[in-house]
Structures are given as structure tokens and as C-alpha cells.
Amino acid sequence: MIFYSKLHSAIAVSVLVCLEGANIANAENATACPDPLSAILAILKCVEEENVTCASAGYNSAKFTKLHNEVDTNTTIDAGGDFWTAAFALVDLSLDINHKMNIGPNRASIRYVEVVNFTTGVEFGLPSSTEYPFGQSFVQHEHALVTVDNDCKMTLWDQYGDNEEQSAVDDTAAALLLEPAVQCAWGLMTPEECANKQNKTDSAAPSSPSEQNGIGSASAAYRNKGTDFMLYTLLSIWVVALFPF
């Protein structure tokens, strides 16, 4: 009799523990983002439409982290819009999503093909050009596991993709950031420095990708055309964080 009494008590305790666990899980789910995938797709639409306010509002700026092949890119997306204003001046981004689904509370999986079109220079007061690094287009094949918070704001973009495809984009963006017109537009040089830099650039323009036998050679030409290599390196590191996906 005592055995059955103890067994009954043990079963009762186990049931209570299970019920308590279920209640906690239900409470957590009740406060979670109701549809992470829809929230993420809405944010991406803002990015594709180059809506700075809308895109910035979709990220938890205090917690957001971007990983590329498990490496932290140290991407910081501010709530004020500076990040997206700079990004949209350099590139147009479009995504062809071929797989998407919610995979758990506050999490979704997205597989996509991303097209990155770099500025032709007109945004910086230059004639339209397709000479490297201007007017370049790249395709990236990526898969991302995305996490949002309970307010449906993005906190983690964990992407997997080809490193060579990513490097081509990063190199081109870094080369663009060395252009006098870009640096002057963003206040990275004084008016006097801008005038002097422009004169030197005009007298020693870099070769185009076709003349340099490819994107890699063209970006290498920028590294070696009298430019401060340390500046190029620092910009290259920064530019890895420029694209949140």
C-alpha cells in the first residue's frame, strides 16, 4: 500500500512538473513574434525598396549580429538610418528567395540568390560609368537562419555562402570607398584634399577590369596606385560589415 502511495505521489509530481513546463513554454510562445518569416520578409522588402526609415526600424540595433560562415562580421545597424543611407548610396540589392519557412519561435530559414548592383557614380555627382569599381554587378548564393526578438526585430542574421562571391563584393565596395568623389561626399576629406586627390586621380586613372584581366586584378590596382595600403585594409574590414545579408 505504501509503495502504491509513493508511486501515486511520484506520478502526481511528474504531472505537475510537466504542466508547469508546458505553461512556461506557452507563456514564452505567447510573447514571441507571431510570424517571424513575415516580419523578416517585410524588412527585406524595405531594403529592396531602399526605404531607410523602414529598413532601420526592422533591426534591434543593440543586439543585432551578422555571421558569415560562422564568423562575426561586426555589423552595426543603427536605429537612426546612417547605416542604410550609406549602403543605399553604394548599392542596389535584390533577393530572389527560393526557400522560406518558420523553423521555431522567433526563427526562420531563408535561401536566396542576391544580386548586388554597385553605383555607377551618379549618386556622387559623377558621369555614369561601368569602369571598375563603378557599375559592377555580382550574384551571391546564400542561406540564412534568421532570429528576431519578441517585437519581430532582427537580432541575428546567420548566413552561409561562397567566400569568393562575398570577397568580390567586399573588394569592390572597398575600392569605391577610396574614390575621391565618395570620400568627399561623405566628408572624409577636406575640400583642399578633395581637390588635390581629384587631380592626382585624373592623371593616374586605374585600368578597367577588362584591361586588368578580371575583378581581382582591378581591385589590386587600387591597392597599389599610390593609395595608403593601411587605409585600404581598414576600409576592407569595415566594408565586410556594410552588407547585412
Side-chain angles (χ1 to χ4, degrees), residues 10-77:
I11 293 174
V13 170
S14 297
V15 170
L16 288 174
V17 169
C18 290
L19 290 175
E20 184 64 23
N23 288 336
I24 293 174
N26 288 336
E28 290 177 347
N29 288 335
T31 59
C33 178
D35 189 350
L37 179 61
S38 293
I40 294 163
L41 294 178
I43 298 167
L44 297 182
K45 183 178 180 182
C46 294
V47 172
E48 290 187 288
E49 294 177 349
E50 300 191 359
N51 186 324
V52 171
T53 301
C54 177
S56 301
Y59 292 79
N60 184 326
S61 59
K63 296 183 177 181
F64 179 72
T65 299
K66 174 195 168 184
L67 304 178
H68 176 74
N69 293 340
E70 301 183 346
V71 177
D72 190 344
T73 63
N74 298 309
T75 299
T76 299
I77 299 183

Side-chain angles (χ1 to χ4, degrees), residues 185-200:
W186 287 353
L188 301 176
M189 294 193 297
T190 66
E192 293 77 14
E193 289 174 329
C194 289
N196 292 336
K197 191 83 171 180
Q198 187 63 57
N199 290 336
K200 291 179 181 178

